[in-house]
Amino acid sequence: MSLFLDYARSTDLYRELCLSMDSPHGNLLERTSDETAEAQTEFLRWALMLAAPRGIIETGTNKGMFAYFISLVCPGAVVNTHDVNQECENQIAILNRHRCPPQAYFYLGDTRQRLYKRGPVDFAWIDGGHEFDVALSD
């Protein structure tokens, strides 16, 4: 396992995010194999280094692991994240209390109807509904 992944999984904030919401869904860092997590995080680190985004849209907030990941690799980026589950708003509140990332905005609702953003968008992480029509719409 990479040093980055070891570090990302070792912080108090990571543990707080893991424990603050019960979700059966997989996510970037927690509910996946070490091999998958390492492959995903290394690819994302490379893509984000190339993009150097200031503004990011995410579909599928879940436990807030992507926004947490962004706080580690793009600390100056603003994350606009969307989910149909109201409980996910708490995850973003936890991140904002820790100022990780510097600012994250949560939007409740179906992204097939509307995507919201504040500021520029230079990168998108489409990981909401995992059905074909939702991914295609996003």
Side-chain angles (χ1 to χ4, degrees):
M1 191 164 32
S2 72
L3 291 175
F4 174 81
L5 189 55
D6 281 344
Y7 172 74
R9 289 176 166 172
S10 73
T11 69
D12 290 339
L13 177 54
Y14 171 77
R15 285 187 285 281
E16 184 177 352
L17 290 169
C18 288
L19 295 173
S20 63
M21 180 179 156
D22 185 27
S23 174
H25 301 292
N27 62 52
L28 185 62
L29 297 169
E30 183 194 17
R31 295 186 183 270
T32 188
S33 70
D34 289 345
E35 295 81 16
T36 299
E38 186 169 6
Q40 287 181 328
T41 57
E42 290 306 309
F43 171 77
L44 274 171
R45 287 175 63 201
W46 171 80
L48 289 161
M49 181 190 70
L50 289 177
R54 295 177 303 143
I56 297 171
I57 282 188
E58 173 193 21
T59 62
T61 308
N62 198 23
K63 287 189 170 186
M65 291 295 170
F66 180 73
Y68 167 66
F69 177 84
I70 292 300
S71 75
L72 299 174
V73 298
C74 299
V78 172
V79 176
N80 296 277
T81 184
H82 303 75
D83 207 289
V84 295
N85 183 350
Q86 179 77 48
E87 192 177 0
C88 298
E89 186 172 21
N90 181 55
Q91 303 303 107
I92 299 307
I94 291 168
L95 289 164
N96 283 331
R97 273 198 311 274
H98 289 271
R99 299 185 190 277
C100 295
Q103 191 62 52
Y105 298 97
F106 175 79
Y107 300 97
L108 179 65
D110 189 328
T111 55
R112 288 174 289 185
Q113 296 167 0
R114 183 153 184 191
L115 284 172
Y116 297 91
K117 69 178 184 73
R118 292 185 185 197
V121 174
D122 307 306
F123 195 88
W125 180 248
I126 307 302
D127 192 31
H130 296 162
E131 293 80 33
F132 179 79
D133 70 310
V134 179
L136 181 62
S137 173
D138 288 350

